[in-house]
Structure formats: C-alpha cells, structure tokens
Amino acid sequence: MSDPVQTAKVDLAEKLKLIPDRPGVYLMKDKAGQVIYVGKAVSLRRRVRSYFQGGRYQGSKVARMVQEIADLEYIVTDSEVEALILESNLIKLHHPWFNVKLRDDKAYPYLKVTVNETYPRVLFVRRPRPDGARYFGPYTDSSAVRDTLQWIRKLFAIRTCELDLDKGQRLKRPCLLYYIGRCPGPCVDGLTTPEAYRQVVDEVCLFLEGRHQKLLPQMQEKMKQAAAALDFERAARLRDRLQSLTKVVERQKVVSPQGGDSDVLGLAVDEATGLACVAILFVRDGKLVGRDSFFLDSEATREQKGSGKEGEAGALEASHAKAEASDPPSATSSSQELQEILTAFLGGYYGQAGFVPPEVWLPLRLPGHEEQVWSEWLGQRRQELLAAQGRSWEVAETVPTQARSSPDYTPEEWEAEDGGERRRAAQRRQVVSSSRARATIRLLTPRRGERYQLVGLACENAQEILRARLAEEERREAANQSGLQGLKEALGLADLPWRIECYDISNLQEKDSVAAMVVLEGGEPAPSEYRKFKMRTPGPNDFAMMHEVIDRRFRRGLQERKELRALGLLGEVEKRPPGWLRESQPDSLGSGREQVNLEIDEADAGDAKVVFTGACPQSPNQGGAQPEQDNAGKKQEAAESRQAPEKSGGRSADQKVWAKQAKFARFPDLVVIDGGPGQLGAARQALRNLGLAELPTIGLAKQNEWVYLEDDPEPLILPRNSPALHLLQRVRDEAHRFGITFNRQLRGKRTFRSALDDVPGVGPARKKALIRAFGSVAGVRRATVDELAAVPGVSRALAERIAEQLGNPAAE
C-alpha cells in the first residue's frame, strides 16, 4: 500500500515544475485541504520554489508552515496590482493560519452618512456596503464612535428616524426632536427643503473629514446672516455650535504650515509575542486631527503565545524578497518582518477605509517593486472613493498639497499666488501626466526634518499603546490564572478548570422560554462556543428546563463523541480532554444507564444554531430535513444520515469538514448552573441519567453569591474579593446577558409576526412588498388575486395561496 504522505510530496514536486514565471497569487494547503497561507508574487515560479529550499528557514514560522504544506494552488494575474487585490480578497475569504492580519477586523465600526437619500442620516454601522453612502472609518473604539455620533446629532440638526422619506412616508406633525431643535423636521412637508438640509449634511461630512478650518468660516457666515435677518434663535444655535467646534480646533496641533492631507504610520512589535501595533496619525489641512491604532498578528503567533513559546513578528511575504532580487543582501530579517506587518496593515486598513489621502508616511521603506505596487493600488482605492463622492482625481492631484484639501481651489487661483513659487515647487513633486502614474499615492519614508519627527511621534504612540495592551493582557491573564487556581482549590478539582460552561434559563411567563450556554476557555469568553436553545418544557418551570437543556446538550455531545471516536477524529476535536474525563474510561463514557438512547433529535441542531447531520462526507447544507417534512421524517432522515463512513487508509478532507460540525463534542472541566440547589439538583439528575456523574457541577445563587455543591447542604461562601468568585460572576453574568438577548429576539419576532409569515413562499422581502402595496395585512386580505399577482415578486400561484390562506372571500 502506497504511503499517502510520500504520494503528496511527489505530486507537490510535480506542481512546482509547472509553475509559470508570471505574476499571481498562490495558496498553500495542508493535508486536510485547508488554506493555511495566501501570498502574492511578481514571479510565481521564483517565489513558491523559494519555500522549499532546504534549511533556508530553520527555526522560523516559515519553516513551521512549510512542514504543513501538502498541496498548493496558484492563480495567474496580468499584473502584481491585480495579484495584490486578489490576495486581499482570498485572505478575507479563507482566514489563513499563517497570514498576518488585523486583529478582530470584523468588529471595526464605521459612521455612515446616507448621502444617497434626499434627507441623509448619520448611522453607526459595522460593515460598509456599495450603496452610494459615505463611510468614515474604520475606528477601533466603538464606544468613542457612539459618543461622537451623539455629539454630532446634538451639534448638527440631523434626523434620526427610520422613515423612508424618498418613498413618501410622511407625518402630519413632527416629533419632539423638531421642537427642541435637534431635527429640521423633513418628515413634515413645508418645514425644510432638501437644499437647506443638504448644507447641514455637508457640514457633518467636513467635520468627520477633519476639515474644521473650512467649516468654521462657513458657520460664522451663516451666523452673521441669521443675525442680520433678526433670526436670533438660529444665530444663537450657530454661535453655540461654532464655539464647540472652535474648542476642538484649538486643541489640534499644526504639523505642516503648507497644509495638505496625509496619514502618518508608526509601528511597534513585541518580539516575545509577535503582536504588532500600528498607530496612524491623521493630518488634514496641515493639522493633526486624530489618532487611531490597530493590532496585527497571525493565528500561528497566537498559538505560540498560548503554548508559552516565544513568538516572532512573523514575516512570510517579505522574507522572500531576496528571491525577487529586490532587497540588498544586507537587509536584515527583522526589517523584512516589519515590512510584512506594514504591508498587511496597508491592505487590511485601506482596503476598507472611507478615505485615502494623497500621501502616506511610513516608518520604513518597502522594497522597490513592492512600493510601486502599493502606490498604484492605493491610487486605485483613492480614485474609487473620489468617484463615489463625485470628485475628480485630476483636480485633487495636480494642485499642491496645501490646495488639495479644498475642491473649490482651482489650479489657476493657486498659480497666481506667491509669484509662481508655489507652482514651481509643485512642478518638482508633481506626478507625471500619464493616467497610470497619476493614479498613485506617494509613499514617503522621511529621514530628517519635521516629517521625520512626526513619524517618530507615531512610532512612540505605537510603542506606548502596545505596552499598555500587553500590560493589560498580562494583568488579565494573571487574574484569570488566579481565579482558575482558586476554583481548583475551593472545589477540590484535580486540574485547573480550563473550560467552564455556564447555563441559564430565560423566560417571560410561559412564552419564548430559552436556555443559554456560554463558555470560558482559560478564563476568557469563547463566543464561537456559545449555544442557545429553545425550551420545549411547558410553563415557567426552571427546574424542568434546566434538566432539559443539560440532557439535550450532553446527550448530543455523547453521540458526537461516539461518531468521532469511530472515525479516529475525536483527538483533533478535543485536543485537551478534561481531567475528570481522563481519569474515567473513555470507552465506557455515557454507559451509566444501559437504557439511555443516544440518538438525538434533529431539532436540537436548529435550536442550538448549528448544523450537524452526522453524515460524512457531506456538506453542512445537505442531509437536513426540508421545512415541509414532518417530525417523523426529520428523525428518520437524521438516523439514516448518522451512518459513519468506513475508514480508509487516510482521513479525507470531507471527514475533517464533518468533524468541524460536531459542535458539542468538547466537554467542560466544570459546569456552572445559574441558580440554587433546585436547579443544581435538576442538572445533576440529567448528568447521572447520561452516565456523566463525575462531571464537576456547581450552582451559583445570585441573591447572596453563594456556591452550592450537590453533596453539601451548606453553601460554599467565597470571599467577595476572591478572584474565583469574580470568575464565576463573570461567566454567570455573560450567560444571563446571552439568554436575555435571545429571549428578546424571539419576543420581538413574535410581536411583529403577522398572518403573512404563515404563508409558504412569503419571506421578509415579499412581505414588505405586500405591506407597502396594500398598507396592512387587512389590506392584503381584501385584495383580489389579480391585485396580489400585480405586486413585484408575487406569482399568480403564490397570489392564490395568499388569498386562500388569509381567508379572502374572493378566492372562494
């Protein structure tokens, strides 16, 4: 029988011979077919082959990656700029293990100005969309963004309602915000005009851009006009607004007398953890208007940190610069690593930023060909953003830096000033006239002067932010470790309770009862492990509901462990078995009662918001019961789908994908029940029924914060300042928050539910179209089949079904 590992190496060697000498993107894969690294190259042949030069990367993160490479793919592009764009998209798609990425980039908030509406609004959003609106960001501090949004709504009269004014939704009288001067009342005809409202929106955009020097004269002129027209109330409001903005401007530091827009980047890296911080200073109209910071690392460096190994500021892409013959032989590996982090930030940040300035100042130079590629790509991004704002690149780029910030400042007016000196100075730095060269951003690496000092200031900020972040992480890790150690000693556990699961019941009378399961791993929340359940137990019975959720969770977990063990995949899903489980016999787990039926109800998967059919190989969207099937059909299909495949000589990629669907196979070191002895007893009874009596379980009563154990009638009272108690309170409060949120979601859906939701084929979009067409559900009920079929997206067959289900007499 042939060795599959040797076969994979032979196939990989054959692919290396066929790689073309062209620009493109390459994807490195492991033996399971998962993408572990995505890179770009001006020459795919030279770059990819350089990975496999023996002994070149001993001891580095690259060497670890090369050991895991079992296959590769490549995509040829026409230019390296196209390869850069494709690389960025593939990194976002696959989240490769070894790529350096922005930390938690999915959570970065934006401020959205809906300029695509007649009466725009300012909104807090998480994801920019190509909808014609303007986006400012990304920002790292969501609370600061919300504070800014509140300040904008207080300072500028902008509507906050969700009325679709473009579609004619109007009110007969304005809301309270109009009477207190917080909204001009566009919802009522005659109170304002689109032109007057748009002027306020333009002021908001200037404020968010940091162009206060242009905004202040405009507001001062409006204030004078209002005073001259004897509109003293409006003049007073403008005066207060002007004073608030003046205080903001006075705190800003002038960094460039010539004016202009630029972003100044500073970089700091912690060699022990591999965590990097990029601080970005925003210079607008020559003034420093703000600062933000972002952290970058890779999952590989996080794993190194977790295992106690010293990380490194990983650099994969830049470490191959010599293979492209771009860096001098004297270039150090540390500088190459910094270049990797810097380019990762450029792609991650400016790929989603709402503004790209004409100049970006860097703390170190990129390789020659890399600098040109990034300059062109940033130029393309700037072109796209200017086009979305209706501005021209030529006007923005052919005037000097001090005039670029004002679209109303023409080149002729600029050349007439200062005896032509400004024109001659601009000619020395003006980009060439070809369209490709014009669409570039200047990447500068200052070596002396004021610019060098400002880049140094950015680096100092990055170092301070990184130092504070590491100190906070170290303090939090120490507190978590102390809390886990305290729990181990107080509860007499064999090992530290690394994985803690907490369960809470949330209900309002007899409706929408739910259960929440939250997880701490190493003392830190693990949101991807959270689960939520819809309760089937009738009535507000916390004891019975707690018994139900524990039974469903661990019954499902036992079934998944059984199937994974048959495939030999249990060790990959549960790399760290709990101490109580290691002491027991794994093969006899769950055999406390022979009559226990481990077959799970397929509905559990839906309640827990996961999809696990038990079938292998099979995609997550296959094998599930269709909505029109009855419960018996669902159970039968689930039972048939759980026939584990026969094992072959090696594990297929489909088996690995199937294993990832096992969302309950990992068992905790400690179970925390939100409640007292009653809830604890119900949970323990469910565990004993499943043969899991050895699983440590405690109850935490909220009233006195007492800890209850099953065999002890007296509560365990931990000191109020105990780190162990703080850890239990944190996981209990998180379970309560998670459960309450799910309960509110269900109640909200039930509150806004209508008869249309019960009609097969009517989803949210069609429901909205029908309500818009007929005004209400009663209007839909009165409509004829022909009138229903006239609604866009509604076929005649669906119209007949709607009329029949709603009880329209005309349909009979």
Side-chain angles (χ1 to χ4, degrees):
M1 185 175 178
S2 61
D3 185 356
V5 177
Q6 186 64 29
T7 304
K9 291 182 179 180
V10 173
D11 294 341
L12 187 59
E14 292 297 326
K15 285 188 176 182
L16 291 175
K17 297 178 182 179
L18 302 176
I19 296 179
D21 188 14
R22 291 187 56 185
V25 174
Y26 54 93
L27 299 87
M28 301 298 192
K29 299 183 178 182
D30 61 12
K31 61 183 180 180
Q34 300 295 316
V35 177
I36 60 175
Y37 184 71
V38 176
K40 71 177 189 314
V42 66
S43 171
L44 285 170
R45 176 178 297 175
R46 284 182 288 174
R47 174 63 59 83
V48 175
R49 287 184 176 183
S50 67
Y51 283 98
F52 302 95
Q53 297 178 1
R56 182 173 182 181
Y57 302 109
Q58 291 295 334
S60 69
K61 192 173 66 177
V62 186
R64 293 177 52 209
M65 184 194 74
V66 172
Q67 293 176 357
E68 297 188 21
I69 296 176
D71 194 8
L72 66 90
E73 292 182 6
Y74 57 85
I75 303 173
V76 176
T77 59
D78 291 331
S79 66
E80 198 173 1
V81 176
E82 293 183 7
L84 190 153
I85 298 173
L86 179 59
E87 177 197 34
S88 177
N89 293 334
L90 291 175
I91 289 175
K92 293 177 182 177
L93 176 64
H94 296 288
H95 300 285
W97 184 260
F98 286 93
N99 277 92
V100 176
K101 301 176 290 294
L102 286 174
R103 266 195 176 188
D104 305 324
D105 57 344
K106 293 181 180 179
Y108 292 149
Y110 296 79
L111 283 176
K112 173 183 179 179
V113 182
T114 60
V115 295
N116 52 327
E117 298 177 343
T118 305
Y119 296 98
R121 299 165 293 162
V122 183
L123 306 173
F124 178 97
V125 297
R126 288 289 182 179
R127 293 186 180 280
R129 303 183 183 279
D131 53 6
R134 288 198 63 183
Y135 292 87
F136 297 88
Y139 306 102
T140 54
D141 189 345
S142 59
S143 61
V145 176
R146 295 184 190 276
D147 291 342
T148 301
L149 179 59
Q150 293 299 323
W151 194 79
I152 289 175
R153 289 173 174 173
K154 180 179 179 181
L155 196 61
F156 302 94
I158 294 291
R159 75 181 182 102
T160 60
C161 62
E162 298 182 359
L163 294 175
D164 195 342
L165 302 182
D166 291 338
K167 294 191 179 203
Q169 293 186 5
R170 291 290 191 274
L171 301 177
K172 294 182 179 180
R173 55 184 297 181
C175 65
L176 179 63
L177 292 178
Y178 170 78
Y179 294 104
I180 64 176
R182 295 287 182 88
C183 177
C187 56
V188 178
D189 293 331
L191 294 183
T192 188
T193 63
E195 293 75 17
Y197 190 92
R198 181 67 64 166
Q199 290 181 2
V200 180
V201 174
D202 292 340
E203 292 177 354
V204 172
C205 293
L206 287 174
F207 171 77
L208 292 175
E209 290 175 355
R211 306 186 189 284
H212 304 143
Q213 290 296 340
K214 184 177 180 180
L215 177 58
L216 292 177
Q218 292 180 1
M219 296 180 62
Q220 192 170 16
E221 182 62 26
K222 289 182 180 179
M223 181 184 67
K224 293 180 180 179
Q225 293 176 0
L230 304 183
D231 189 355
F232 297 115
E233 291 185 1
R234 181 169 181 268
R237 289 196 299 268
L238 290 170
R239 178 203 60 199
D240 296 340
R241 189 187 308 173
L242 188 62
Q243 290 176 351
S244 299
L245 286 174
T246 302
K247 292 179 181 179
V248 174
V249 174
E250 288 174 351
R251 293 195 297 264
Q252 295 173 352
K253 176 183 178 182
V254 177
V255 298
S256 176
Q258 292 79 22
D261 300 340
S262 59
D263 286 349
V264 184
L265 306 186
L267 177 62
V269 181
D270 181 69
E271 296 182 356
T273 63
L275 181 63
C277 175
V278 174
I280 177 170
L281 305 181
F282 304 106
V283 178
R284 303 292 181 262
D285 292 337
K287 286 192 172 184
L288 181 61
V289 300
R291 184 206 75 180
D292 214 337
S293 58
F294 298 83
F295 293 92
L296 301 94
D297 66 356
S298 67
E299 294 180 74
T301 56
R302 295 185 204 182
E303 185 185 59
Q304 279 188 335
K305 179 182 178 182
S307 61
K309 299 178 182 178
E310 289 192 355
E312 51 184 297
L316 298 178
E317 192 75 29
S319 65
H320 296 282
K322 293 182 181 180
E324 307 261 350
S326 57
D327 275 351
S330 60
T332 64
S333 59
S334 60
S335 66
Q336 294 168 353
E337 293 166 355
L338 295 177
Q339 289 168 359
E340 160 74 4
I341 297 171
L342 195 58
T343 54
F345 173 79
L346 291 175
Y349 176 76
Y350 288 107
Q352 56 187 354
F355 176 76
V356 178
E359 292 184 352
V360 177
W361 303 353
L362 307 178
L364 72 159
R365 293 208 60 174
L366 302 178
H369 76 284
E370 290 273 353
E371 185 172 316
Q372 178 62 26
V373 170
W374 283 105
S375 179
E376 292 183 15
W377 179 77
L378 289 171
Q380 292 181 11
R381 284 286 300 149
R382 180 168 168 82
Q383 275 187 319
E384 296 171 0
L385 296 171
L386 289 175
Q389 302 170 26
R391 295 176 58 188
S392 150
W393 176 282
E394 287 76 10
V395 173
E397 292 303 311
T398 55
V399 297
T401 307
Q402 62 266 29
R404 290 177 189 172
S405 60
S406 176
D408 301 326
Y409 202 111
T410 65
E412 291 76 14
E413 293 172 336
W414 158 67
E415 290 182 9
E417 296 185 12
D418 201 20
E421 178 60 30
R422 294 183 177 180
R423 175 181 57 81
R424 290 189 292 272
Q427 287 177 344
R428 291 193 295 268
R429 63 186 181 187
Q430 189 173 346
V431 295
V432 297
S433 59
S434 68
S435 59
R436 181 179 179 184
R438 185 183 293 118
T440 58
I441 295 298
R442 298 187 65 196
L443 298 178
L444 306 178
T445 309
R447 297 301 182 188
R448 61 183 66 85
E450 295 180 355
R451 289 179 174 177
Y452 177 77
Q453 295 177 359
L454 193 59
V455 172
L457 178 63
C459 290
E460 291 178 6
N461 276 268
Q463 292 173 359
E464 291 299 324
I465 295 169
L466 180 60
R467 185 180 299 113
R469 174 66 173 264
L470 293 174
E472 173 62 21
E473 289 187 354
E474 184 177 353
R475 183 201 63 79
R476 190 169 63 247
E477 289 177 1
N480 291 337
Q481 186 70 16
S482 177
L484 295 176
Q485 184 65 34
L487 282 177
K488 175 186 175 182
E489 296 174 357
L491 302 177
L493 303 178
D495 292 325
L496 289 180
W498 185 81
R499 180 184 171 99
I500 301 175
E501 293 182 3
C502 182
Y503 296 85
D504 181 34
I505 303 297
S506 178
N507 60 77
L508 185 63
Q509 296 181 353
E510 297 183 4
K511 296 181 179 180
D512 304 318
S513 297
V514 300
M517 162 188 155
V518 302
V519 179
L520 295 186
E521 292 185 344
E524 291 295 317
S528 62
E529 300 290 323
Y530 289 9
R531 303 289 180 262
K532 45 193 177 185
F533 303 81
K534 294 180 182 178
M535 292 289 94
R536 303 165 187 165
T537 302
N541 188 337
D542 280 6
F543 299 162
M545 291 180 184
M546 186 61 70
H547 183 282
E548 176 190 335
V549 67
I550 295 296
D551 179 81
R552 286 167 59 184
R553 182 265 183 266
F554 287 100
R555 184 182 299 271
R556 183 177 177 83
L558 289 170
Q559 177 66 23
E560 291 180 356
R561 295 176 67 88
K562 176 181 176 182
E563 295 171 352
L564 290 171
R565 187 179 294 111
L567 293 171
L569 296 174
L570 182 58
E572 298 186 17
V573 174
E574 187 181 50
K575 297 181 179 179
R576 183 188 179 279
W580 65 271
L581 188 56
R582 291 195 301 268
E583 294 175 0
S584 64
Q585 295 295 329
D587 293 335
S588 63
L589 184 62
S591 60
R593 290 180 60 181
E594 296 181 358
Q595 64 269 30
V596 170
N597 178 16
L598 293 182
E599 291 299 323
I600 59 175
D601 191 337
E602 185 69 12
D604 285 347
D607 291 345
K609 299 301 178 185
V610 298
V611 178
F612 177 79
T613 64
C616 174
Q618 198 173 52
S619 67
N621 294 327
Q622 295 174 336
Q626 298 300 320
E628 62 270 16
Q629 290 178 310
D630 56 13
N631 289 335
K634 289 182 181 179
K635 294 180 179 180
Q636 178 64 24
E637 183 174 343
E640 293 175 354
S641 67
R642 272 188 294 274
Q643 298 300 321
E646 296 181 1
K647 291 194 293 183
S648 59
R651 297 171 184 168
S652 67
D654 290 329
Q655 288 177 330
K656 297 294 288 293
V657 172
W658 173 81
K660 288 185 178 180
Q661 299 177 52
K663 300 298 184 181
F664 291 89
R666 299 176 63 191
F667 277 6
D669 298 273
L670 175 67
V671 170
V672 179
I673 303 298
D674 181 15
Q679 289 88 343
L680 176 62
R684 289 297 303 168
Q685 182 62 44
L687 291 173
R688 282 194 297 269
N689 291 345
L690 295 173
L692 299 177
E694 296 181 3
L695 174 54
T697 311
I698 63 173
L700 180 62
K702 188 174 184 179
Q703 183 175 3
N704 297 310
E705 305 292 4
W706 289 349
V707 176
Y708 287 91
L709 305 176
E710 183 184 23
D711 300 328
D712 193 347
E714 296 297 325
L716 174 63
I717 303 177
L718 298 175
R720 289 290 180 173
N721 60 350
S722 167
L725 179 60
H726 294 168
L727 193 65
L728 292 177
Q729 290 173 329
R730 190 161 75 245
V731 68
R732 188 268 319 279
D733 293 343
E734 177 68 358
H736 189 65
R737 179 201 65 81
F738 191 57
I740 286 289
T741 301
F742 186 39
N743 180 265
R744 287 173 179 170
Q745 291 174 353
L746 295 182
R747 283 190 281 124
K749 290 180 180 179
R750 178 167 51 83
T751 301
F752 294 101
R753 186 174 181 83
S754 69
L756 286 173
D757 293 301
D758 298 325
V759 180
V762 176
R766 286 176 177 154
K767 176 183 174 182
K768 186 176 182 181
L770 288 167
I771 296 296
R772 185 182 295 123
F774 301 103
S776 64
V777 176
V780 177
R781 182 178 287 109
R782 290 191 298 266
T784 65
V785 173
D786 292 335
E787 291 173 338
L788 293 172
V791 177
V794 178
S795 64
R796 187 167 188 84
L798 180 58
E800 294 175 354
R801 192 185 311 144
I802 294 173
E804 179 182 359
Q805 187 131 348
L806 294 186
N808 189 337
E812 297 179 356

